[in-house]
Amino acid sequence: MNKKINIAIVGLGQIGSYLYNELNVKKKDIELKTGKIINIVAISAKNRNKNRKYKINKKIFYNNPLDIIKKIKIDVLFEAIGQQDGISKKVVE
C-alpha cells in the first residue's frame, strides 16, 4: 500500500486557501492518525501573485489547472473554484 497521498488543489479562494493551509499545518497529525503522508504536489488559481493570507509554494503553482492532470500523478484533486461549468467542469471531468 502506498503511504504517500499526492494532492492537487484548484482554486485558492477562501476554501482552497484554508484547505491548503490546514493540510500544511496538520500534516504530521494526519500522518500519525492515518499512516499516510500528505504531499501537496500542485496548486492552481487565477492569480499567482495575489496577496494571500497563507504563504503559497510557487514551485508547485500551475497557471492552467488542466496541466496538473497531464503532467503529474495525483491521487486526490480538490476543486474549489465552485462553478458548475467552464474550467471547474473540465478539471473534474
Side-chain angles (χ1 to χ4, degrees):
M1 180 183 280
N2 191 357
K3 289 187 100 184
K4 193 178 273 190
I5 306 277
N6 289 334
I7 296 175
I9 302 171
V10 177
L12 292 173
Q14 284 183 318
I15 294 170
S17 293
Y18 181 81
L19 174 66
Y20 178 78
N21 185 60
E22 286 295 296
L23 287 174
N24 281 315
V25 168
K26 296 181 179 174
K27 207 176 253 194
K28 291 190 189 280
D29 290 338
I30 294 168
E31 183 179 338
L32 287 171
K33 290 178 182 178
T34 66
K36 303 288 184 184
I37 298 168
I38 298 299
N39 187 27
I40 301 173
V41 296
I43 54 176
S44 183
K46 270 194 232 182
N47 186 348
R48 173 191 294 255
N49 298 315
K50 180 179 178 181
N51 191 12
R52 293 185 167 82
K53 208 175 194 179
Y54 311 112
K55 185 175 179 174
I56 301 296
N57 182 349
K58 299 210 176 176
K59 292 178 184 176
I60 62 170
F61 193 99
Y62 285 77
N63 289 320
N64 184 348
L66 298 175
D67 289 343
I68 293 170
I69 301 157
K70 296 175 190 172
K71 295 183 178 180
I72 57 176
K73 183 192 176 300
I74 57 171
D75 299 306
V76 178
L77 178 116
F78 289 100
E79 184 278 316
I81 298 170
Q83 299 172 344
Q84 64 185 43
D85 55 7
I87 195 70
S88 295
K89 184 175 181 180
K90 288 178 183 177
V91 167
V92 173
E93 288 177 337

